[in-house]
Amino acid sequence: MAIERKLKVFFGFLAYTGNSGGQAEHPNLRKWWADTIVKCKNDGRIHEICEETMSDTPCPMVRNHFVVEARKQKCDVLVMIDSDNDLLKYSDLPERKPFWDSSFDFLYKH
């Protein structure tokens, strides 16, 4: 019988707001994060969670930084979340699949 693999997940948050260089995010983003982190902590397929928030430009540079950090920390999964994402949008629609639940299930099965 095969042993189920447990994954290490890295979440990278791009929190850049524009010319001012300040940090900001869509208000629903951290509510989604709070709900998601609880799901991850209770998911037997995940053994560790890493997180970093960065406010800088250009965005490709920040994304590359997250790739390097995730590799350094030997993470199996990298999730990058932009500051303007509303991952709870349309969450009241019955046909909508929650981003984390459906995406992680798909990734883990494949």
Side-chain angles (χ1 to χ4, degrees):
M1 185 167 154
I3 296 173
E4 188 173 280
R5 182 170 179 201
K6 295 187 178 217
L7 304 178
K8 186 173 180 178
V9 181
F10 185 102
F11 288 90
F13 292 92
L14 291 89
Y16 188 71
T17 61
N19 294 334
S20 67
Q23 294 184 11
E25 296 172 328
H26 191 284
N28 281 339
L29 191 56
R30 290 300 164 154
K31 175 168 181 359
W32 172 85
W33 172 240
D35 294 342
T36 301
I37 199 73
V38 170
K39 289 177 185 178
C40 290
K41 292 282 188 183
N42 292 316
D43 192 325
R45 301 170 296 178
I46 298 172
H47 77 88
E48 191 173 343
I49 301 157
C50 304
E51 178 270 336
E52 183 176 352
T53 301
M54 191 169 177
S55 176
D56 203 352
T57 59
C59 286
M61 176 188 75
V62 176
R63 293 184 192 286
N64 289 342
H65 169 80
F66 288 152
V67 170
V68 169
E69 285 304 307
R71 286 179 175 168
K72 276 187 199 173
Q73 296 182 44
K74 300 189 183 326
C75 293
D76 303 293
V77 177
L78 170 58
V79 181
M80 291 188 234
I81 309 291
D82 287 347
S83 61
D84 59 350
N85 281 349
D86 180 359
L87 296 170
L88 298 178
K89 192 172 186 175
Y90 308 119
S91 59
D92 58 335
L93 299 176
E95 66 274 11
R96 182 192 173 275
K97 295 179 181 177
F99 166 71
W100 176 253
D101 302 342
S102 61
S103 300
F104 187 72
D105 284 347
F106 178 84
L107 175 115
Y108 193 81
K109 289 175 186 173
H110 296 89

